Amino acid sequence: MVFAAGGFKVKLYDVSHQQLTNALENIRKQMKEMEKSGFLKGTLSVEQQLALISVCTDLKAAVEGATFIQECTPESLELKKKIFSQLDLIVGDNVILSSSTSCLLPSKLFTGLKHVKQCIVSHPVNPPYFVPLVEIVPHPETDPSTTETTYALMKKIGQSPVKLNREIEGFVLNRLQYAVISEAWRLVGVCISNYCERYREGMRLVLNTFGPVPEFSGEIAQKINQAMSEKIPVVPKGLDARRKWRDDCLTGLAKLKKQMISD
């Protein structure tokens, strides 16, 4: 949605056609909601933006003609390395290979690839349509032009990129976020089991560079999960409602910021 709002042609790739079908339906729904609320990004209409988005289940066909490829797979080093090794075999020398990883080091993702100079991490904040921050983290062998081109592209599509001079576990955002989560755990244990299951390894990897850290499991996790489940039932309907509430709040905040700037 962010790239289409910026006027770029976007081709979504996934191994599951159903995922792609669901994505297009969700994109149309969200764009319509943004248009109705007066917060659709870009100068193009919803239909014009939707016309820029297509889908594909063949990786080689998906990247044909691409100048920038953004990988958005789950936070698994093995899966991401597999994807980039496949891309490395089929892309040319003028395309940027970018990862959305939140804390995996570029040196672990890209080392050994023949196109390593074209590789970079562009870590967005979820949901990127409402939170524009993007952390740009180069591999030690990343060409400076790759960093500058990525930075300029993110600015062009309306994001707020921040360049890191070198890689570090957790980058900047998650080093700050995990420090807060870790201390919250020590104080009152504010963390739900799903979050811990998904991000436990990444949090411990980053926090180990801080000093002794919690295990994010066991009795405390069970206790917190029970309390949070009672407050926010973990069912699709409930989660969708919470996400909508979050996005509505972020939309309101973005409107307020825009008004403050114009005033």
Side-chain angles (χ1 to χ4, degrees):
M1 287 173 62
V2 174
F3 281 99
F8 287 91
K9 288 185 178 180
V10 180
K11 189 172 289 186
L12 301 178
Y13 163 79
D14 198 283
V15 293
S16 167
H17 189 270
Q18 187 59 51
Q19 284 287 83
L20 296 170
T21 300
N22 293 343
L24 289 178
E25 291 177 357
N26 289 332
I27 288 170
R28 175 178 289 276
K29 179 181 177 181
Q30 291 181 62
M31 283 187 176
K32 288 290 186 180
E33 290 175 352
M34 291 301 101
E35 183 180 50
K36 185 177 180 180
S37 65
F39 208 69
L40 182 70
K41 288 190 173 184
T43 59
L44 303 176
S45 69
V46 169
E47 295 306 322
Q48 287 174 320
Q49 292 187 30
L50 288 171
L52 293 173
I53 305 173
S54 59
V55 299
C56 188
T57 54
D58 179 82
L59 186 60
K60 187 173 182 179
V63 303
E64 185 178 357
T67 56
F68 187 88
I69 299 172
Q70 184 80 12
E71 166 273 317
C72 305
T73 60
E75 196 73 351
S76 163
L77 178 60
E78 291 73 21
L79 177 58
K80 290 182 185 295
K81 288 184 67 174
K82 178 182 178 181
I83 291 293
F84 281 110
S85 65
Q86 293 173 340
L87 290 170
D88 196 39
L89 297 175
I90 59 179
V91 300
D93 297 332
N94 297 315
V95 61
I96 293 177
L97 300 177
S98 173
S99 175
S100 293
T101 181
S102 60
C103 64
L104 294 175
L105 296 178
S107 59
K108 292 186 177 181
L109 286 173
F110 308 131
T111 296
L113 298 181
K114 64 179 181 179
H115 292 97
V116 65
K117 292 184 178 181
Q118 302 157 224
C119 295
I120 199 164
V121 165
S122 305
H123 171 223
V125 180
N126 190 41
Y129 198 87
F130 304 105
V131 185
L133 175 64
V134 180
E135 294 182 293
I136 298 178
V137 190
H139 181 281
E141 296 180 62
T142 296
D143 192 285
S145 65
T146 298
T147 302
E148 295 305 319
T149 300
T150 302
Y151 181 88
L153 175 60
M154 293 301 163
K155 291 283 286 186
K156 187 170 184 177
I157 61 176
Q159 300 303 85
S160 299
V162 174
K163 288 184 287 187
L164 275 68
N165 294 326
R166 62 182 178 86
E167 62 178 26
I168 185 172
E169 285 84 355
F171 314 143
V172 174
L173 177 62
N174 278 327
R175 288 187 75 84
L176 295 173
Q177 178 174 252
Y178 292 169
V180 173
I181 291 174
S182 181
E183 186 58 22
W185 180 278
R186 295 186 187 100
L187 293 172
V188 293
V190 184
C191 181
I192 63 173
S193 64
N194 178 260
Y195 187 92
C196 292
E197 289 171 4
R198 291 170 62 190
Y199 298 111
R200 179 186 298 123
E201 293 305 315
M203 285 193 290
R204 298 193 75 248
L205 175 68
V206 175
L207 289 168
N208 275 329
T209 67
F210 295 178
V213 298
E215 291 294 330
F216 300 108
S217 61
E219 184 179 349
I220 294 179
Q222 295 174 10
K223 182 178 179 180
I224 296 164
N225 180 53
Q226 181 179 349
M228 293 298 291
S229 295
E230 291 174 358
K231 184 176 181 181
I232 309 171
V234 185
V235 294
K237 186 176 180 180
L239 289 175
D240 287 344
R242 293 289 293 182
R243 291 190 185 101
K244 186 178 186 308
W245 171 83
R246 175 202 63 188
D247 291 351
D248 288 345
C249 290
L250 288 169
T251 299
L253 178 61
K255 283 184 176 180
L256 178 60
K257 289 181 177 179
K258 186 176 181 180
Q259 181 181 340
M260 291 173 66
I261 292 173
S262 62
D263 291 345

